[in-house]
Amino acid sequence: MIKELISSNLGGYHSNDFKESNSIDIASYIIEQGHLCKAHLQKEDKTANIDGRISILLGSFEFQIVEAQVKALPEKTDTTVPFKYLCDTKIINFARFKVSANPVALFVVDNERRKLFFKIFTSDYVDYLDVGEKENKTLDFDSSDEYSDEKFIGQALRMVRITNTDTACIVNCGEIRKIIRKAKRTDYRLVNERPEDDEGYDEYRVY
C-alpha cells in the first residue's frame, strides 16, 4: 500500500517547498524589524504573479502598498559579492503592463546568510530590462540592493513634493523639470530623483 502510494501520481511536498517557506519567513522578519513596514506575504500562494503585499506605514497607519514577489536564491549563491538571479519575467510584466497601480518589488532571499535583496520595478528599469516576450531575464544584484527600510521606502515612494494635496497622481517628471527650469525657480526640487534626460518619463506619486 505504501509503495503503491509513493509511486502514484499525487501531489506532495518537496525540499523546494520548505526552502520557499523559509524565504518568506526571513523576508517578513527583516522587512518588519524596523516597524516601518508590514509584510503580508503568503506561503504556497495561489495569487498569480505575486506573493502578497508590503504595507509602508505612517505611524500605525498604512500609507502605501507595494506588490511583492519573494524568491529564494539558488543554493551556493555568494551574496558577499555581486551576483546574478535568473528571474521569471511574469513579475516584470506585472509591472510593465501596470496590472496594479501600486509599485512592484521583487525580493530575493539568501536563506543561508539570512539576507534580503530587492528590486523595485520602476518604469525606467522595466524599459531598461526590455524583456519583450522572453520568459526569463537575468538580473544583477550587489550590496546596494540589500534591504534597508530607508532604501526600500525611498525607492518605493519616489515622491515629488510639489503640492500639499492629499490626492495621489501620476506625473511626467520630465515635463515638470522643464517648467521649473524655464521659470528659473530654485525653491522646488525633485526628491529621490535619479539622473535622466529631459525627455525621460517616470512615475512619481505627488502628495
Side-chain angles (χ1 to χ4, degrees), residues 71-73 83 85 106-110 115-118 141:
K71 291 295 183 182
L73 287 170
F83 63 94
Y85 174 71
L106 169 70
F107 294 90
V108 294
V109 183
D110 181 342
K115 295 171 73 173
L116 180 66
F117 299 82
F118 74 95
F141 286 84

Side-chain angles (χ1 to χ4, degrees), residues 102-181:
N102 297 318
V104 180
L106 169 70
F107 294 90
V108 294
V109 183
D110 181 342
N111 284 351
E112 183 181 345
R113 297 178 180 86
R114 300 183 68 83
K115 295 171 73 173
L116 180 66
F117 299 82
F118 74 95
K119 293 284 191 185
I120 300 285
F121 290 111
T122 58
S123 57
D124 56 340
Y125 184 45
V126 170
D127 288 344
Y128 166 76
L129 292 174
D130 189 25
V131 297
E133 297 181 359
K134 298 173 185 173
E135 294 185 358
N136 297 285
K137 182 71 177 182
T138 299
L139 305 184
D140 294 306
F141 286 84
D142 58 35
S143 58
S144 68
D145 300 306
E146 187 167 0
Y147 181 90
S148 75
D149 286 334
E150 182 181 4
K151 280 190 286 190
F152 174 70
I153 293 172
Q155 289 185 37
L157 295 181
R158 296 187 54 115
M159 282 187 182
V160 181
R161 293 192 178 279
I162 298 176
T163 68
N164 252 343
T165 177
D166 291 327
T167 303
C169 60
I170 302 300
V171 297
N172 185 327
C173 292
E175 289 301 315
I176 290 176
R177 274 193 293 274
K178 290 179 182 178
I179 293 168
I180 292 173
R181 289 171 183 169

Side-chain angles (χ1 to χ4, degrees), residues 11-191:
Y13 295 98
H14 306 285
S15 59
N16 193 60
D17 295 302
F18 294 101
K19 182 180 176 182
E20 293 294 339
S21 293
N22 193 30
S23 68
I24 292 286
D25 290 337
I26 292 171
S28 297
Y29 175 77
I30 293 174
I31 290 168
E32 294 184 351
Q33 240 182 339
H35 295 182
L36 297 178
C37 297
K38 179 66 179 173
H40 308 278
L41 302 172
Q42 304 175 44
K43 298 177 182 179
E44 302 172 42
D45 69 286
K46 298 299 181 183
T47 305
N49 306 306
I50 59 172
D51 294 315
R53 296 178 166 189
I54 308 299
S55 296
I56 296 175
L57 306 177
L58 183 62
S60 60
F61 300 101
E62 185 176 74
F63 178 65
Q64 175 67 56
I65 292 171
V66 178
E67 311 291 353
Q69 184 182 72
V70 180
K71 291 295 183 182
L73 287 170
E75 291 181 10
K76 298 182 180 180
T77 300
D78 186 356
T79 59
T80 63
V81 296
F83 63 94
K84 297 181 183 295
Y85 174 71
L86 187 62
C87 177
D88 187 311
T89 57
K90 291 187 184 73
I91 186 64
I92 302 173
N93 285 323
F94 185 84
R96 174 187 174 195
F97 293 110
K98 304 186 188 305
V99 178
S100 169
N102 297 318
V104 180
L106 169 70
F107 294 90
V108 294
V109 183
D110 181 342
N111 284 351
E112 183 181 345
R113 297 178 180 86
R114 300 183 68 83
K115 295 171 73 173
L116 180 66
F117 299 82
F118 74 95
K119 293 284 191 185
I120 300 285
F121 290 111
T122 58
S123 57
D124 56 340
Y125 184 45
V126 170
D127 288 344
Y128 166 76
L129 292 174
D130 189 25
V131 297
E133 297 181 359
K134 298 173 185 173
E135 294 185 358
N136 297 285
K137 182 71 177 182
T138 299
L139 305 184
D140 294 306
F141 286 84
D142 58 35
S143 58
S144 68
D145 300 306
E146 187 167 0
Y147 181 90
S148 75
D149 286 334
E150 182 181 4
K151 280 190 286 190
F152 174 70
I153 293 172
Q155 289 185 37
L157 295 181
R158 296 187 54 115
M159 282 187 182
V160 181
R161 293 192 178 279
I162 298 176
T163 68
N164 252 343
T165 177
D166 291 327
T167 303
C169 60
I170 302 300
V171 297
N172 185 327
C173 292
E175 289 301 315
I176 290 176
R177 274 193 293 274
K178 290 179 182 178
I179 293 168
I180 292 173
R181 289 171 183 169
K182 188 174 181 180
K184 297 181 180 180
R185 296 293 296 269
T186 59
D187 51 340
Y188 291 102
R189 68 187 182 91
L190 299 181
V191 179

